[in-house]
Amino acid sequence: MTLIDSDATGTTPTGGPTLAQERRLVTSLPGPRSAEILARKAEAVPVGVAHTVPIAAVAAGGGVVLDADGNSLIDLGSGIAVTTVGSAHPKVVAAVAAQAAQFTHTCFMISPYESYIEVAEALNRLTPGTFAKKTALFNSGSEAVENAVKIARKHTGRSAVVAFDHGYHGRTNLTMALTAKSMPYKSGFGPFAPEVYRAPLSYPFRDGLSGADAAALAITQIEKQVGAENLAAVVIEPIQGEGGFIVPADGFLPAIVEWCRANGVVFIADEVQSGFARTGTMFASEQFGIEPDLITTAKGIAGGLPLAAVTGRAEIMDAAHAGGLGGTYGGNPIACAAALAAIDAFENDGLIERAQHIGSILGDRLRAMQTDDPRIGDVRGRGAMTAIEFVDPETNAPDAALAGAVARACIQSGVIVLTCGTYGNVIRFLPPLSIGDDLLNEGLDVLADALAAA
Ligand code: PLZ
């Protein structure tokens, strides 16, 4: 496993400084240097751009993030599921440096270059479904989702779009409309894009429904409140990210896909968070036996560089007229070089197996904690995308205060964890696949201590 060995040392291919793979706190957080930088942040950056870990990062790699005071934190967040191959994967670092020396930009809509086409070919090959596919590249997950909706509308000649309860699709105007949660994503930022409708999701821990029953409920609501003949697309995360790592009951997603096919509705899987080996398969859709018409990707695609994609059936992707899709930076050559290096790592460094292995450590340890502590109501997710939902053991009511307290305690002890969920009562684990087992286990030890103390 070359990736783990080389990246876990933190050694750069050019022989740069090594990052010790350890949790090390030399100050309380923030330390004095970070505090100084964060004070400048408060002066220079608007409050809307908030942060959860009170440090200023100066380096990251393997399974750690180093701050300006020399603290080394265990990374169980990957910058929200982005640095899946690691924060400084040697192949990515080398590809970025080489491409930057060659050219940084021409604009693919002006002078195309091969690396964009290679990324498109790789995504057409790697995404579920053996049908003919095409791919367009963008800069962010939100932009990919926006463009998937544009393509679906042009293809169908219809305008309505259905998203689901707890869904998260971005912060732009259309994707805010698609996103379910008001605070902090939407509140005060309307009016939102029209013709967006919401359907109930399968949420096994809370609705107790079979996949088939949950799908029937959603489909009836869509038929009655929207009408299939008006509907361009259904947009859904196969496993929800920000919404709480909700894994739908078996059969839910296939039933929705089948209904979409029967009604000429484009099924869009938003795999921005769940894609690229994170769940123990290249894409989460594979685990539910579905072949989306369109699939949106970003985050893990390019080892930390901003890149996103819409991949899907060639005849749908080609519905948009020439010049109808694009953007100045979409498929930037440095981001494409990084993506090709990351995809090489996903395919050749055993990262899918690594995600499965990390998932088994997370699952075993978190379920053991749940057995001892009824405040953990649910352990769910797949692979290196696993979470725990905190509840009041008597009533199952969401316990956001506990999730927040445990997350803050972990961070203060040098372990980066993220919360999520509509009710804010979920702690999610998204470690880079370059983290070592020891470090991951140490992170979970810290979690167990934080939980016991809370
Ligand atoms: N679709 C499924 O998870 C981004 C955003 C966090 P962008 N999720 C993290 C935050 O507070 O902004 C995301 C996602 C899914 C779309 C997006 C949007 O991707 O690259 O952030 O635009």
Side-chain angles (χ1 to χ4, degrees):
M1 231 183 255
T2 48
L3 163 72
I4 309 304
D5 293 338
S6 50
D7 196 38
T9 63
T11 311
T12 67
T14 48
T18 58
L19 265 189
Q21 292 299 298
E22 62 181 11
R23 180 171 63 106
R24 183 182 68 242
L25 288 180
V26 295
T27 69
S28 59
L29 302 182
R33 179 73 188 122
S34 287
E36 214 178 286
I37 295 168
L38 294 175
R40 280 168 47 210
K41 177 194 177 231
E43 287 298 315
V45 180
V47 292
V49 185
H51 66 269
T52 54
V53 181
I55 62 165
V58 294
V64 298
V65 175
L66 195 70
D67 81 2
D69 296 283
N71 296 300
S72 174
L73 287 77
I74 297 176
D75 182 9
L76 302 185
S78 299
I80 325 187
V82 170
T83 53
T84 310
V85 298
S87 301
H89 189 286
K91 286 178 180 170
V92 173
V93 173
V96 165
Q99 181 57 46
Q102 208 65 32
F103 64 97
T104 58
H105 177 82
T106 62
C107 187
F108 190 75
M109 303 182 303
I110 306 295
S111 317
Y113 35 88
E114 189 173 8
S115 57
Y116 182 122
I117 299 156
E118 283 182 281
V119 173
E121 288 166 346
L123 288 171
N124 296 342
R125 172 172 59 81
L126 291 169
T127 48
T130 52
F131 40 82
K133 291 180 217 143
K134 290 194 172 182
T135 290
L137 300 180
F138 303 97
N139 303 297
S140 68
S142 308
E143 218 190 324
V145 174
E146 289 247 6
N147 278 279
V149 170
K150 277 168 66 172
I151 293 164
R153 283 177 168 161
K154 189 79 201 235
H155 170 72
T156 58
R158 306 170 181 173
S159 56
V161 184
V162 161
F164 284 79
D165 284 339
H166 313 287
Y168 182 93
H169 301 287
R171 292 176 181 273
T172 58
N173 189 263
L174 174 59
T175 59
M176 272 194 294
L178 293 168
T179 290
K181 192 173 174 177
S182 175
M183 241 353 214
Y185 307 122
K186 304 167 73 166
S187 186
F189 298 141
F192 304 110
E195 287 306 307
V196 172
Y197 301 87
R198 197 161 305 287
L201 180 78
S202 165
Y203 190 165
F205 176 62
R206 295 205 170 269
D207 67 19
L209 295 176
S210 70
D213 288 349
L217 204 69
I219 288 165
T220 304
Q221 185 165 317
I222 295 167
E223 286 178 340
K224 298 301 167 203
Q225 297 187 12
V226 188
E229 68 279 15
N230 303 308
L231 188 58
V234 160
V235 185
I236 189 165
E237 299 154 85
I239 298 176
Q240 292 214 329
E242 306 306 306
F245 282 30
I246 302 164
V247 183
D250 283 347
F252 178 78
L253 290 170
I256 302 286
V257 170
E258 198 184 320
W259 180 86
C260 286
R261 293 277 138 79
N263 290 280
V265 175
V266 177
F267 181 92
I268 303 171
D270 182 351
E271 292 233 27
V272 165
Q273 191 151 164
S274 59
F276 293 102
R278 179 131 304 269
T279 64
T281 47
M282 193 60 94
F283 296 97
S285 291
E286 297 165 45
Q287 299 188 36
F288 302 96
I290 58 167
E291 294 181 349
D293 297 315
L294 301 181
I295 173 164
T296 56
T297 54
K299 292 191 186 278
I301 189 174
L305 277 284
L307 189 71
V310 181
T311 301
R313 292 181 188 273
E315 69 276 16
I316 299 178
M317 292 296 295
D318 274 335
H321 48 272
L325 303 175
T328 307
Y329 295 110
N332 169 272
I334 297 177
C336 285
L340 293 173
I343 290 168
D344 174 359
F346 286 124
E347 290 204 277
N348 301 313
D349 290 355
L351 289 190
I352 287 175
E353 295 73 20
R354 183 77 196 139
Q356 292 166 0
H357 177 73
I358 286 173
S360 70
I361 294 177
L362 286 170
D364 290 350
R365 296 233 19 214
L366 296 171
R367 274 189 294 274
M369 287 182 213
Q370 183 187 27
T371 307
D372 297 338
D373 194 331
R375 296 175 299 173
I376 300 180
D378 196 21
V379 177
R380 59 176 178 253
R382 299 283 169 90
M385 184 174 182
T386 292
I388 49 182
E389 174 163 353
F390 290 100
V391 297
D392 176 334
E394 306 292 301
T395 63
N396 250 6
D399 192 343
L402 179 61
V406 171
R408 280 190 299 277
C410 286
I411 290 166
Q412 282 303 329
S413 302
V415 179
I416 297 175
V417 294
L418 312 176
T419 58
C420 65
T422 295
Y423 314 110
N425 65 326
V426 177
I427 292 183
R428 54 177 152 172
F429 303 94
L430 291 163
L433 303 181
S434 51
I435 195 170
D437 287 3
D438 290 352
L439 217 50
L440 175 60
N441 275 306
E442 188 179 336
L444 294 169
D445 292 342
V446 169
L447 172 81
D449 291 346
L451 190 56

